[in-house]
Structures are given as structure tokens and as C-alpha cells.
Amino acid sequence: MTEFSLPPIQTTARDDAVLKALAGFVMREKLEPGERLPTERILAERLKVSRNTVREALTRWEGLGLVERRQGSGTYLKAAVSLDMLHMPLTLAGGNDFTGLMRTLEIRRALEAEAAALCAVRADEDDLAEIERKLDIMEEEFLNRAGMSSEEDWEFHQAIYRACGNPLFEQIIAAMHELFHRFWEHPLGVRDFGHASFPYHRTMFNCIAAHDPEGARAEALKLIATVEDDLKRGAANLKLSDRK
Amino acid sequence: MTEFSLPPIQTTARDDAVLKALAGFVMREKLEPGERLPTERILAERLKVSRNTVREALTRWEGLGLVERRQGSGTYLKAAVSLDMLHMPLTLAGGNDFTGLMRTLEIRRALEAEAAALCAVRADEDDLAEIERKLDIMEEEFLNRAGMSSEEDWEFHQAIYRACGNPLFEQIIAAMHELFHRFWEHPLGVRDFGHASFPYHRTMFNCIAAHDPEGARAEALKLIATVEDDLKRGAANLKLSDRK
DNA sequence: GTGCAGAAATTGGTTGGACCATTGAACCAC
DNA sequence: GTGGTTCAATGGTCCAACCAATTTCTGCAC
């Protein structure tokens, strides 16, 4: 075990101080997302606080999505942390019905279009290569299984958000995506959900690769429109089968 | 490797269960923001879990801004909670530098344009009257004080988000707005910040009132563009005055 | 009765220690 | 190699205290 440069905590506001110290530690050690940070017991010992206090602090970070705990394994960094980061926790009420889903889709339409346009302007060769790689994987899955693979589809979109130069896009849309998937567990009865969106992935990528922001925006809007249609179709099915 | 849809099973999820139960309790008792909820000891006893587990759960809610704890007094509801709420914690690394502000503005540009376009489609007569009322107030303040009033300006924009038929727009942009103002009371020392955006408020409203979504979108983009320019100007000033 | 200072009860914050459940690595038998 | 077994490490939960801030009650002076 290496030597950690973690000086003991001073006085009140324990768990906040713990987080500050931890953030400083992460920066000094240049820990990146995916890496494991010290165990709770070690942190408690080094910071001279009880393990419970360490746990409350880590619970806060976990709630903010900065960290992931795996029992029996350890606590892992999930996002870049720094001393000067700001938190903007949003809680959206009532997203579990059809109306709520359509609302998140409206947000996603706005952000997806903007991200695609920004990406067309800013993506460099490496970004484009990565995006096309994900696109190839997705298309292959589509042909093999004759249907959309939501996992590979999501990877493709994420690659675009990452290349657009603004991490907020990925953060916001990722939250929406999670909500969306809660519904795909119990699909709306639409078998080939997302099927119609398939061709627009390639056309959108072509616009991005050609550094054509307005074209990319237009293709992104078409893509979302097909999803909205699927959703409406599913809602109609649901309404029919709901009659008692 | 074939594709199974097997979500991991959940055996232990104590604190999540606590939060679910607590959310149900809040809904049953119709507790409103500001009201006090049961003490940690009572919750631990009633839910048959340790107080420690209750605390970890409440720590999560506190981190999300749903609840406020006051030592010696109690734990108080800070926002409406429901069983179906969605959490979207956003973390902005280096939020008080120029880059961070520009990133929030990029999000705002995407949402502002979409909201204006939606509003042009959906706003009824009452909505339009309310928006114009705020606009009149803002313009009067502008003329009287020879400068933008951020308070009245914000009221005007909020009226648009409310009329666009999707409350998510207001929630997300409000979070950005709060972040924007938390560190930059008078952004970057630019005296007449936002001055150039003034005329576009009226032109944007005219497009909305004429139910012209694309026009409204275009004016919204122009408006944000002036803010971005101000920001860049301020950053340049800051860079100059920073030399020692 | 009123007002106020101090005691007492209440409540969140912290501690230390114990044990459970899961994970992953090392090891072993086949 | 494959498939178990053991075992140590790690996060999850629990308990029983005690500390610190706040609120409430009490009783005295007036």
C-alpha cells in the first residue's frame, strides 16, 4: 500500500471537509474515472474521522453520480472531480407516464440537435473515427439481429456528446436516457421500437464528418421525430389494450 | 455470445427502500416544503432499520437538495417529493471560469430556442398576455434605468418557459440561471451586461405572438449570441486586468 | 401574570466496534 | 484448463453510546 498524503481533518463540518480532502487527494494523485480510491477504513484512519463519517461523505458523492460503490470490491471514480466543481442537482417530478416521456423527448430533441451541430464544428479526426467505430458496431448489430440494439445505439450517441466539447450535454441526456430505459423494460408493445430511426444515424454521421452543422442538426431532428412517432404508436396500443 | 436481457438482481437496497418508504409517507401525509418530517430515531424504529441506514438515505436527499437538516431542530422538506421523481445531478467542473459559463450558455441556447419555438406553437391568448406584461415591465425598467435589469429580464424568460407546455424547460434553465448568478453577480465586470440583447426580446415576442416558431427560434438564437459576445468581451477584459 | 435565565429534553452529528454479504484472488482437485 | 473451495479484503448494516446545537420547559425575580 502506497503512502497517501492525507492530513487529518481539523474541526466541524466533518463530511464536507472529508469531501474537500478527498477531492484534493484525487487531484494530486491524478485519479481518473474508473480508478479505485482508498477504502473507507483507510480514509477514516488517515483523516482521523470515523468510518461512518467517511461513508456519509461518500454517500453524497454517490448520490451526485461522482462515484460508484461495489460491495466486496471497492469505491470507484465515475467522473472527474475537482476542488472547484459545482453541483446542480435537478429533480423532475412525474416522468413516469406518457406525457412525461414526451416531455423528456422534447428536451432531448433540443439538446441532441445542438450537440450534433456543435460536434460537426468541433470534432477532430480522432473523435470522428471513434464515432464511426460505434456506428459500424451498431449497424452490424442491426443487420445481424434485424432490429435496433439499444445498447449499441446509445454508445453511438454518447460518442457524439463526448465529441461536442461540452460534457453537460452527455450528463443531461444520460439522465433522460435512464428514464427512458425504465420504460423499455416494459415495452409499450411496439416490437421494433426505434427501427425507423436506423438510417438517420448514418446520415447524421455523414453530416458531422463533413463538418456541416446545419445538416447534422436536421438529421438529428429527423431521428428524434421517428422515436416520437414510435412512442405515440406505443401509447395508442397501450390505450387500446387498457380497455377493460 | 448471445444477448440476454437479464438485469442484475437486487438483494440489498436498504437505503433505497428507506427513501421509497419515506417518499410514500410524504405523499400520504401531504407534507409540503418547509414542513418537518419524522426524526431519524422514529424513522429507524418504524422502518425497522438502524438509524445509520436512515441517515445515509437522508444524506442522499440532502445532497439532492430535497431536504434540509438542522441540528437540534429536525429535518425539513425543501422541495416537493414524489415516488416517480427523476434525479438529474449535474456536475460542472471549474464552473466559475469562462469555459464553464460558456458551457451552460450552450445548453441554454439549445433549450431557449426550442422553448421559444414550442411557445410560438402552443401559447394561448392568456399566455401571450402574461408574456407581454413581463416584457412591458422589463422595457420600462430598461428605459428608466438605462440598462438591463436582470430580475425583470429573467421574469420575462420564465414566462416563456411556462407557456411552452413543458415544465422541464423551466426547471433545467432555472438551475443554469441560478448557477450563473451564484458566482457572477455582475458578470466579469462588464458594466452594461446584456445591453445588446434588449431589442431581441421584443422581436422574439412578436414572432411568438404571430405563432411563427422558426422566427421565434431565430430571434432567441440572436439574443443568446449577444450574451455570448458580452461574455467573451468580459473574459478578454479579465485577462487583461489579470496581468500582474 | 410577565420576563428572563438556566435546566432539561429533543434532535441531528460523530464515534467505535461488531458482524454480515459480496467480491476477487489464490489455491486445489480433477 | 475447469470447476470448486478457502480466505482475505471491502462495502453494507447494526448497535450503543456520546457530542453539539436547538428547542422547550421550569422556576425565580419582579
Side-chain angles (χ1 to χ4, degrees):
Chain A
M1 182 62 77
T2 53
E3 269 299 321
F4 298 112
S5 55
L6 287 173
I9 289 300
Q10 297 175 358
T11 45
T12 52
R14 305 284 217 216
D15 43 0
D16 269 341
V18 167
L19 287 186
K20 228 174 95 180
L22 235 189
F25 172 77
V26 169
M27 288 180 74
R28 278 196 306 278
E29 299 288 324
K30 297 183 173 38
L31 294 187
E32 300 197 353
E35 293 198 66
R36 219 187 74 167
L37 33 90
T39 71
E40 298 175 350
R41 287 170 175 90
I42 295 207
L43 287 174
E45 179 194 347
R46 294 287 201 283
L47 297 171
K48 290 282 186 288
V49 297
S50 91
R51 192 181 149 214
N52 257 329
T53 305
V54 171
R55 281 189 59 77
E56 291 220 359
L58 286 177
T59 297
R60 276 232 255 296
W61 269 15
E62 189 186 30
L64 292 171
L66 295 177
V67 115
E68 178 185 352
R69 292 152 131 174
R70 288 208 286 272
Q71 183 174 175
S73 177
T75 304
Y76 298 82
L77 218 50
K78 241 175 90 178
V81 307
S82 59
L83 279 169
D84 62 347
M85 59 189 171
L86 298 178
H87 302 297
M88 234 186 315
L90 286 184
T91 67
L92 311 176
N96 271 349
D97 53 2
F98 172 72
T99 308
L101 267 192
M102 284 302 282
R103 284 174 175 165
T104 67
L105 212 51
E106 279 177 2
I107 300 287
R108 184 167 171 180
R109 176 174 57 194
L111 296 180
E112 187 99 26
E114 189 75 15
L118 285 175
C119 191
V121 175
R122 297 177 180 167
D124 60 25
E125 292 310 312
D126 292 340
D127 295 329
L128 290 177
E130 175 68 7
I131 296 172
E132 185 162 28
R133 199 174 65 82
K134 304 281 189 183
L135 178 58
D136 288 340
I137 294 174
M138 193 208 78
E139 288 181 337
E140 188 186 336
E141 272 293 313
F142 180 86
L143 296 177
N144 286 347
R145 302 178 28 206
M148 289 295 290
S149 161
S150 61
E151 188 56 42
E152 277 73 17
D153 171 69
W154 176 236
E155 293 261 332
F156 167 71
H157 287 284
Q158 272 185 310
I160 293 181
Y161 309 143
R162 294 209 180 97
C164 80
N166 186 340
L168 288 183
F169 281 96
E170 184 183 357
Q171 290 185 50
I172 298 178
I173 305 182
M176 307 260 162
H177 182 258
E178 187 200 332
L179 175 65
F180 229 84
H181 261 47
R182 273 193 226 157
F183 260 58
W184 281 349
E185 311 277 330
H186 307 291
L188 293 169
V190 181
R191 297 299 301 158
D192 53 350
F193 195 88
H195 195 282
S197 70
F198 176 74
Y200 296 113
H201 288 75
R202 175 61 70 175
T203 58
M204 180 167 73
F205 169 75
N206 286 340
C207 289
I208 291 174
H211 299 295
D212 169 17
E214 290 318 309
R217 185 193 304 272
E219 296 305 315
L221 288 176
K222 288 184 204 164
L223 195 160
I224 297 282
T226 68
V227 179
E228 284 182 347
D229 285 344
D230 278 352
L231 210 55
K232 286 176 190 163
R233 198 150 46 94
N237 285 352
L238 204 63
K239 216 161 193 175
L240 282 177
S241 65
D242 243 10
R243 302 195 188 289
K244 303 168 186 177
Chain B
M1 160 135 173
T2 42
E3 193 78 14
F4 290 108
S5 165
L6 285 177
I9 60 170
Q10 250 338 353
T11 59
T12 53
R14 291 280 221 250
D15 39 3
D16 262 344
V18 167
L19 287 186
K20 226 174 96 181
L22 196 52
F25 173 78
V26 169
M27 288 180 72
R28 279 196 307 277
E29 300 288 321
K30 296 184 175 37
L31 293 188
E32 309 246 332
E35 294 196 67
R36 220 187 73 168
L37 36 87
T39 72
E40 298 175 350
R41 289 169 175 89
I42 300 266
L43 287 174
E45 180 195 347
R46 295 282 203 284
L47 296 172
K48 289 278 185 286
V49 297
S50 90
R51 190 179 152 218
N52 223 318
T53 304
V54 172
R55 282 188 59 78
E56 291 220 1
L58 286 178
T59 298
R60 277 230 266 290
W61 269 15
E62 189 188 29
L64 292 170
L66 294 177
V67 116
E68 179 184 350
R69 291 154 131 174
R70 289 206 284 272
Q71 183 174 174
S73 176
T75 304
Y76 298 82
L77 218 50
K78 243 176 88 178
V81 307
S82 59
L83 280 168
D84 62 347
M85 55 190 174
L86 165 72
H87 301 294
M88 197 161 53
L90 303 181
T91 298
L92 188 53
N96 67 358
D97 61 4
F98 172 72
T99 308
L101 278 188
M102 283 302 284
R103 284 175 176 165
T104 67
L105 253 189
E106 279 176 3
I107 300 289
R108 185 167 169 180
R109 176 175 56 195
L111 296 181
E112 186 98 29
E114 189 76 14
L118 285 175
C119 191
V121 175
R122 296 176 182 168
D124 59 26
E125 292 310 312
D126 292 341
D127 295 330
L128 290 177
E130 175 69 6
I131 296 172
E132 187 162 28
R133 199 173 67 82
K134 304 279 188 184
L135 178 57
D136 289 340
I137 295 174
M138 193 208 77
E139 287 180 337
E140 189 186 336
E141 271 294 311
F142 181 85
L143 296 177
N144 286 347
R145 302 178 24 200
M148 289 295 291
S149 160
S150 61
E151 189 55 43
E152 277 74 17
D153 171 68
W154 176 237
E155 293 263 331
F156 167 72
H157 287 284
Q158 274 185 309
I160 293 181
Y161 309 142
R162 294 209 181 95
C164 80
N166 186 340
L168 296 189
F169 281 96
E170 184 185 358
Q171 289 185 54
I172 297 177
I173 304 182
M176 305 266 163
H177 183 260
E178 187 204 333
L179 182 64
F180 203 89
H181 272 49
R182 205 187 303 174
F183 285 89
W184 303 93
E185 309 275 327
H186 296 293
L188 300 169
V190 179
R191 299 296 301 159
D192 53 351
F193 193 88
H195 194 283
S197 71
F198 177 74
Y200 298 113
H201 288 75
R202 173 63 69 173
T203 58
M204 181 167 74
F205 169 74
N206 286 340
C207 288
I208 291 174
H211 299 293
D212 169 18
E214 290 317 309
R217 186 193 304 269
E219 296 304 316
L221 289 176
K222 288 184 205 168
L223 195 159
I224 297 280
T226 68
V227 179
E228 285 182 346
D229 284 345
D230 278 352
L231 211 54
K232 286 175 189 164
R233 198 151 45 93
N237 286 351
L238 203 64
K239 218 162 192 175
L240 283 178
S241 65
D242 244 10
R243 302 194 190 287
K244 301 172 186 177

